[in-house]
Each structure stands twice: as structure tokens, then as C-alpha cells.
Amino acid sequence: MGNVFLNQGNYEEALEKYQRALELSPTTAEVHNNLGTIYLEQGKLNEAFACYRRALEINPLYIAALNNFGRVCNFLGKLDLYVDYYRDAAEVISDFNEPRCNFIENIKTMIPSGYDRWLDDELKICFSLKDVDYKSLAFVATLHLKHKYDLNEF
């Protein structure tokens, strides 16, 4: 029922149904993810963050929660935490194109704190994908290369 109310935009009823579902089954990642979606729609970013994070703690390979977590981390300026979850999932999931497209969208404003070999490799993969907005990758790639080649004076 929570899904029906969520799809109708009736967030109060959906919230009530999902909270009841959590009472019955507190380790269902989908319920935490859907609660996060309600909170995100209501502008309650910290609550959404907590729900998506809990969904990923329960199921680190839950792509919908990973994508949603990336969006809320972007809003909250916590992209490093999102990258950690993304990185773990990328090592396990074989067909990773959909999460990778969301990754590109989420990291386009990220400012890397230093050089990271993994990020270097992931950016190469992202640039090799078809139908990607390469301009979205350019900002983070440029800053990452500045760290890689110690070009801080520019």
C-alpha cells in the first residue's frame, strides 16, 4: 500500500504504511529506500540520507538505493561517502552501466581532495561509455588530474 500512496504523491499515507512495514520487517532495504524517497520529496535531506544509508547497510548492492544515496549525498555535500559505497558495489556487480551513469551525474561537481588511483580508473571507464555527457565528467577529471600531476599552481 505504501507504494501505491507513494506513486500517487500521497506522502503522509505512504509514510504511515512504510513505518508500519518497518515495524514488521526492520531489515527490508526496499522499505528504507522508499522512506528515503518520501523524505527527499519533502525536503528532509538528513532523514533521507539516513534511510538510504540504512538500505545500503542492509543490501550494499541495491542499485536504486545507491542511486538515491548519491543524489542526497550530492545535496548534502557528502560525495566522498557516496563514492565509498559506489566503489564497493562496482567491485561486485558485473553490469554496472546504470549506476555508472548516475555516478557521472552525481560527481560532476565533486572536488577531489587528492589523487586516487581507483577514481582515475573509474573516470577512464566513464569516458569510454557511449552517450555520456562528457562535460559532466570534465570538471572532476580536471581537478583529479591536477592532483595526479601536482599542478596546484594553476
Side-chain angles (χ1 to χ4, degrees), residues 30-50:
E30 291 80 5
V31 176
H32 288 279
N33 181 65
N34 292 343
L35 273 170
T37 300
I38 292 170
Y39 289 132
L40 185 60
E41 289 294 326
Q42 294 176 330
K44 298 176 180 177
L45 299 180
N46 290 322
E47 290 88 343
F49 174 85

Side-chain angles (χ1 to χ4, degrees), residues 7 12 23 51 56 63 67 70 72 97 99 114 149 154:
N7 291 333
E12 294 306 317
E23 291 172 11
C51 288
L56 288 170
I63 298 304
N67 294 339
V72 79
N97 284 340
Y149 296 107
F154 295 104

Side-chain angles (χ1 to χ4, degrees), residues 2 4-16 38 42:
V4 171
F5 289 123
L6 178 62
N7 291 333
Q8 293 173 344
N10 187 342
Y11 301 126
E12 294 306 317
E13 288 290 330
L15 185 63
E16 181 182 310
I38 292 170
Q42 294 176 330

Side-chain angles (χ1 to χ4, degrees), residues 11-27:
Y11 301 126
E12 294 306 317
E13 288 290 330
L15 185 63
E16 181 182 310
K17 299 301 181 194
Y18 288 132
Q19 287 172 336
R20 178 68 179 130
L22 275 184
E23 291 172 11
L24 298 172
S25 181
T27 58

